[in-house]
């Protein structure tokens, strides 16, 4: 296997294997969007403290939503090689999909030169951490699972759908 | 079910269900530590671009490590109801545990009035996001799974081990 | 008037009138708390969009609360000569006190060497800005008035109550 | 009253009352500006420690100015649903308008898709907090009052002047 | 000497000598780049702990590189009158130029209304601080010297080369 | 030469050469201080725009001072392996030491488990960058030279004075 070529194909490394923030100056400005997802798995009785009969209880979900939205804006501060971006839209949806799992989805949009996949993934990740934090006094074993990108649109590489995820 | 009592048992909500940063002023200063873990699942050929024969390639793992360490320090800025803390130690370990999975572990320590579970979880989460970012040009379907707390020590609630995780 | 003496009495300036972060190293660690307040005045119909019959509508108040709590933690980053602190408690209360005014109160606590007045004031100020932001599409003339410290306890200067504020 | 419609008219909430960062992707890029104002009221002897005969004393006003300018740039980090923006201009003016009141004005400009009202308001608010901080050792009863937007230009909603403020 | 004129010629001060963030709204969008440099001087035995035979040892250089790249993105938060920018490229090169000196170079690019000199200088400065931090346990006398701008391109003032620096 | 031993002697690397934030949990709390220095060299006519006859002109030096103080507080966010600290004092002094050089000194204090050398060095570095920024419209060739630690006190390694610097 041609190791040198493999290494170079990781776009954030240069030919010497050194990290850099890649030049997107010559990329086209296109409309870009991305949606990511995280599943937070907890005991049924924990879930009922957060959402009961479809109704959110207290400030829990709003806190999770705000944390995720603010984190999406901080992506380039958290993920070292991400470009600073001016997102034009962030939404964060939270839903109990069964009696032990809460799904968090984040969609980001941008009219710009680089994709917003990392922003959507950062949004769901920090939202999931915040949900853990709100519930940890009663359930330390909560699991954040299946954090992944669901779809992206725009850019040179075009649209992409995560085909392994049945519930997209 | 006594909903009122349930709601109150989420420590970050007051009796009216409103979010607050809880008073830890009267808690004892004890030695505290926490270890969290995330698994990042990717195609075998992606993993070989990052680690080959146990040897890291280029700056990838160092970038992931630095991102996780810096994020652990930012926890109270990311997770809204976390207290600002002065961590005395942060380590981040990254290891390929089979041909498709990289495990990230973060351990944080503090001599203080509140636990460091969220700091360890934030460390592994942002490290995993950074690993995704480094590899996404070749593999958008990477999955971050099984992010969870493995152990904690110290504090009034004492030590805790995640018994559902066989590989602790 | 002895201008030199006056100037020096502003603790954040040295004898030459230059800004510095004062030395609190030799101050005693005491329990400290502070409560600040802001009034946000709006049209009655705007207020009804936020709180109706005492019930908050949607995520508005939770968003305001989270923004204020997070801002209190950022005080030393915003107000240049404030010391970094590890607040042990932050609460933020929001209440309609009549049909055109919403009162925001923030209480901060610390076991430390310097007071938390600025943290409480920063909390109510950013909470008020966020309330303005949530409502500005329908009412740009909203006024943030009477932002002030209500009480403080602890420290060498001891307890203090704002006697000009009847509604403390 | 049609509560549902009212709630929706708060642009930062969706139809379910959930907070989101609204989509400005399709809005036009126009020249935008906004000017906000805060009044800081203190004892006459406090004011003389800051400005005497029109001359600033020491670093106080420069510190206030820098704090306000830096805060305007942090608006999207402080106010959760604000879009990140690349302000093209920030000015902050500070003036004693009588023997007990100092007026702070902040003007922000942008060539972009969303207004800069919150940036100007954040600038004056943090500047006022910093002025309080500089003076609090001698006057804890300082009041920050009448923080409001004075004017805005640009955007779909066009120009706006605060007609209740005689001293615009 | 015409002091008034001199003072005004510092672009970040207005006619009264007050700091402001200058209006770049009417400046043209051009391609801009800047390269800065810092030299870090240490004992030969310290340098060998970092780079040996041209090979970096452990995570030192990667840590320095990531710190510099992240700092360049934070420039407008660190240097008070800098405009927020969306850099399109950041690279950071580190090289031992003799047995006691390591040279750090940072290049930034932007398609925008204002130059990126400060971003390149901030990148090398924080990278140099990080290199100091990594080595300070063995060599506290490390010197950061000759931090300067090497070249800039774009903007109304056009291209510029630092002619005093022989090794550009 | 025993390379393995050398590498380990860099305290921020573990035995495998991987970066970590070292455990200071068992270190003693002592009074610690550090003073760092940077020299900024510019044309004589540039220096006169900043300081004339010993008198600062306009807001330049105050802006530099505030930038340095705020940066010292951000050290653990900028330098990846630094511990978060609660500095008890920061002072920043700026002086023209001859007709082409301005010396910036920063002193930081802490009662804590780890030294404040990096905080003092970060303070002078960002102050020097800000001075460059204020003057760059008239003098792009400004050089930041001789940034170094002058003294430190406290901690297990005890006091230290930079003996190569004649002007300590």
């Amino acid at each position: 296997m041609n190791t040198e070529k493999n290494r170079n194909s990781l776009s954030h490394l240069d030919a010497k294997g050194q990290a850099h923030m890649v030049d997107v100056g010559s990329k086209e400005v296109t409309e870009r969007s991305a949606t990511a997802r995280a599943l937070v798995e907890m005991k049924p009785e924990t879930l009922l403290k957060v959402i009961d009969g479809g109704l959110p209880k207290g400030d829990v979900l709003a806190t999770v939503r705000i944390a995720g939205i603010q984190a999406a804006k901080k992506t380039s501060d958290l993920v070292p090689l991400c470009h600073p971006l001016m997102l034009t839209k962030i939404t964060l949806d939270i839903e109990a999909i069964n009696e032990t799992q809460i799904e968090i989805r984040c969609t980001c949009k941008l009219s710009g030169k680089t994709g917003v996949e990392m922003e959507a993934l950062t949004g769901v990740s920090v939202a999931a951490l915040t949900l853990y934090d709100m519930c940890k006094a009663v359930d330390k074993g909560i699991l954040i699972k299946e954090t992944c990108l669901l779809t992206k649109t725009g850019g040179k590489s075009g649209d992409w759908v995560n085909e392994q995820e049945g519930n997209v």
Side-chain angles (χ1 to χ4, degrees), chain A:
Chain A
M1 189 169 47
N2 186 331
T3 307
E4 191 56 31
K5 197 157 157 243
N6 284 338
R7 183 194 291 155
N8 292 348
S9 65
L10 298 186
S11 57
H12 291 334
L13 299 188
D14 66 15
K16 284 178 282 182
Q18 298 176 348
H20 62 153
M21 200 176 92
V22 297
D23 193 348
V24 298
S26 61
K27 291 174 91 172
E28 252 181 296
V29 171
T30 67
E31 295 303 311
R32 293 156 186 278
S33 74
T35 299
R37 188 274 305 281
L39 286 183
V40 184
E41 189 168 273
M42 56 189 73
K43 294 179 196 155
E45 57 268 33
T46 308
L47 195 147
L48 285 172
K49 288 175 207 252
V50 173
I51 305 175
D52 195 0
L55 292 177
K57 291 179 162 184
D59 285 354
V60 177
L61 298 193
T63 303
V64 169
R65 206 146 36 225
I66 295 303
I69 289 170
Q70 285 189 295
K73 291 190 274 183
K74 285 186 220 277
T75 301
S76 73
D77 190 40
L78 295 171
V79 182
L81 302 175
C82 281
H83 293 79
L85 299 179
M86 294 200 306
L87 294 174
T88 52
K89 176 187 173 177
I90 309 170
T91 58
L92 211 131
D93 294 304
I94 308 167
E95 195 182 354
I97 58 172
N98 57 48
E99 63 177 12
T100 60
Q101 292 188 315
I102 291 177
E103 187 185 64
I104 300 171
R105 288 187 181 217
C106 180
T107 296
C108 295
K109 287 197 180 172
L110 174 76
S111 173
K113 294 182 170 190
T114 181
V116 292
E117 296 94 309
M118 292 316 302
E119 282 69 18
L121 282 161
T122 301
V124 294
S125 294
V126 173
L129 289 170
T130 301
L131 182 52
Y132 183 100
D133 183 49
M134 301 296 281
C135 298
K136 74 176 193 287
V138 297
D139 189 355
K140 282 186 181 44
I142 291 170
L143 208 57
I144 302 170
K145 49 196 292 194
E146 312 288 316
T147 302
C148 64
L149 186 66
L150 293 181
T151 60
K152 71 169 277 283
T153 67
K156 204 177 70 177
S157 69
D159 298 353
W160 181 87
V161 173
N162 191 332
E163 304 204 335
Q164 284 161 291
E165 298 299 315
N167 60 340
V168 173

